């Protein structure tokens, strides 16, 4: 019997001035969702079922940028994306441009299990969700006072905002004092904390799976697709490991970050944490990102090159950790 292990994340790149109560809220959500996965693994659930269930929990809670509370486009709409991958046979499913499906990760799983395709987007994905009987809600369900307020701030400052969990007054003050801050694709970025969610698991049979879900960037162009639904970029699973990434999506796409962790394990013979460290250091160029990973033998690892990453992990031998900073 293999040893099970699970890792989850709620986004990399955390504002160092994030209020204490916000940190505590994030840690409570991470602990609750991690426990969901641990309980399932102890009862013998498969890695694939666990990653879907855990990411559904994260999507349902507005604390992070996925499902309810997702970032809004410049058109004041939600366009969510998600992916899931089964390490057995490298089966996968992904969706983009989803605006009414309550749990995009479950739609990604249906794409994998119930369609002849690996990726559906926008109207096609929405139509397939209804054919499959998945729960759909009005677009307004995904909106909160915070994401609506931060979209307004983003439009006023002509910025793409990454961290819309910072209280509006603090965000406005930071924007006014940081006109020459980070830039991505030529546009100013006020804060760096995408808060994408993800889960990577190896079960007691040694099978791996990973899933990632996000609302993307606040004030993004309609139709923008990031790394989260892209297999090999934001999500990957195989016999060696399972990986979920978070951070600057364009940089993760360019580096095929998730797949590269598996590749250096396979071709360079690196252990899991060594592979994670190598890819974070050598593959992101000037980009900022983080990732979580588990190995097929029950190890857990994480890495990031920015300020903090919301994360949690647990293993069969009793180890459990929730963290934000280094």
């Amino acid at each position: 019997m293999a040893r099970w292990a699970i890792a989850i994340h709620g986004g990399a790149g955390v504002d160092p001035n994030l209020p204490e109560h916000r940190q505590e809220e994030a840690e409570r959500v991470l602990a609750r969702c991690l426990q969901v996965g641990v309980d399932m693994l102890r009862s013998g659930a498969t890695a694939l079922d666990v990653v879907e269930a855990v990411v559904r929990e994260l999507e349902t809670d507005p604390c992070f940028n996925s499902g309810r509370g997702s970032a809004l486009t410049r058109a004041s709409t939600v366009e969510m994306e998600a992916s899931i991958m089964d390490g057995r046979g490298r089966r996968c499913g992904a969706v983009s441009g989803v605006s009414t499906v309550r749990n995009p990760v479950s739609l990604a799983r249906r794409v994998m299990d119930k369609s002849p395709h690996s990726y559906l987007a926008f109207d096609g994905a929405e139509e397939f969700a209804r054919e499959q009987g998945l729960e759909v809600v009005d677009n307004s369900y995904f909106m909160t006072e915070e994401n609506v307020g931060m979209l307004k701030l983003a439009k006023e400052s002509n910025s793409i905002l990454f961290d819309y969990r910072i209280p509006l007054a603090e965000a406005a003050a930071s924007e006014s004092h940081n006109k020459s801050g980070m830039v991505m694709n030529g546009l100013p970025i006020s804060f760096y904390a995408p808060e994408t969610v993800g889960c990577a698991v190896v079960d007691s049979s040694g099978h791996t799976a990973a899933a990632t879900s996000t609302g993307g960037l606040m004030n993004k162009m309609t139709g923008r697709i990031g790394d989260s639904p892209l297999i090999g970029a934001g999500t990957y699973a195989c016999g060696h490991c399972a990986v979920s990434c978070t951070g600057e999506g364009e940089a993760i796409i360019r580096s095929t970050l998730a797949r590269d962790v598996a590749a250096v394990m396979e071709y360079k013979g690196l252990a899991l944490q060594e592979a994670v460290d190598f890819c974070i250091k050598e593959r992101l160029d000037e980009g900022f990102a983080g990732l979580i990973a588990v190995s097929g033998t029950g190890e857990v690892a994480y890495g990031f090159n920015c300020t903090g990453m919301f994360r949690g992990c647990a293993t069969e031998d009793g180890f459990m950790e929730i963290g934000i900073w280094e």
Side-chain angles (χ1 to χ4, degrees):
M1 293 286 287
R3 294 183 305 151
W4 60 255
I6 178 173
I8 66 174
H9 72 76
V14 183
D15 179 61
N17 298 314
L18 190 67
E20 190 70 26
H21 73 276
R22 300 277 177 146
Q23 297 180 40
E24 293 172 354
E25 177 189 9
E27 289 176 332
R28 284 194 298 270
V29 173
L30 288 170
R32 176 174 57 79
C33 295
L34 181 63
Q35 192 62 53
V36 168
V38 168
D39 291 344
M40 291 181 68
L41 287 164
R42 285 173 175 166
S43 67
T46 67
L48 195 60
D49 287 343
V50 173
V51 296
E52 180 186 5
V54 170
V55 171
R56 281 177 62 93
E57 288 287 324
L58 288 162
E59 288 175 337
T60 302
D61 194 300
C63 181
F64 295 116
N65 174 15
S66 64
R68 187 163 188 267
S70 284
L72 304 178
T73 69
R74 60 176 58 175
S76 302
T77 59
V78 168
E79 290 183 356
M80 301 169 291
E81 45 198 25
S83 62
I84 191 168
M85 189 166 188
D86 185 353
R88 291 180 294 177
R90 289 188 282 260
R91 299 187 310 126
C92 58
V95 294
S96 287
V98 176
S99 59
T100 67
V101 180
R102 179 167 179 161
N103 291 109
V105 70
S106 291
L107 179 56
R109 173 123 188 224
R110 292 296 181 94
V111 171
M112 178 179 71
D113 288 343
K114 302 295 184 180
S115 86
H117 307 302
S118 295
Y119 198 157
L120 293 177
F122 296 93
D123 290 346
E126 294 280 343
E127 180 181 355
F128 182 67
R130 286 165 173 78
E131 291 174 357
Q132 291 294 307
L134 293 181
E135 183 178 3
V136 296
V137 294
D138 187 81
N139 200 253
S140 61
Y141 162 83
F142 302 103
M143 299 183 186
T144 65
E145 181 180 350
E146 285 182 322
N147 62 13
V148 171
M150 288 306 289
L151 177 63
K152 181 177 182 292
L153 175 63
K155 287 182 174 182
E156 290 172 351
S157 60
N158 191 31
S159 298
I160 295 174
L161 297 186
F162 281 80
D163 188 0
Y164 57 92
R165 302 294 180 232
I166 297 174
L168 294 178
E170 294 181 26
S174 178
E175 171 65 20
S176 66
H177 289 92
N178 191 31
K179 295 296 185 182
S180 60
M182 293 176 58
V183 173
M184 186 180 77
N185 295 341
L187 294 174
I189 295 171
S190 300
F191 302 102
Y192 188 80
E195 295 180 334
T196 293
V197 305
C199 182
V201 168
V202 58
D203 60 30
S204 58
S205 296
H207 300 140
T208 66
T212 311
S213 180
T214 190
L217 308 181
M218 184 65 72
N219 201 30
K220 65 184 178 180
M221 295 175 63
T222 56
R224 183 261 184 185
I225 294 172
D227 67 286
S228 296
L230 301 184
I231 300 301
T235 304
Y236 195 74
C238 62
H240 291 281
C241 63
V243 182
S244 175
C245 300
T246 173
E248 188 180 340
E250 280 68 14
I252 294 171
I253 293 169
R254 291 192 300 269
S255 64
T256 58
L257 189 61
R259 165 58 185 158
D260 216 45
V261 173
V264 296
M265 291 182 71
E266 182 175 357
Y267 302 132
K268 292 175 69 72
L270 298 186
L272 181 67
Q273 188 65 63
E274 292 175 325
V276 169
D277 292 342
F278 176 86
C279 292
I280 291 293
K281 181 179 179 181
E282 302 293 339
R283 292 293 184 258
L284 286 168
D285 300 319
E286 296 181 358
F288 295 94
L291 65 86
I292 55 168
V294 299
S295 72
T297 56
E299 302 165 297
V300 294
Y302 64 85
F304 50 91
N305 66 350
C306 43
T307 307
M309 180 170 70
F310 297 109
R311 65 190 185 274
C313 60
T315 60
E316 188 170 357
D317 61 12
F319 174 77
M320 184 176 288
E321 177 185 70
I322 301 292
I324 300 177
W325 315 110
E326 286 281 6

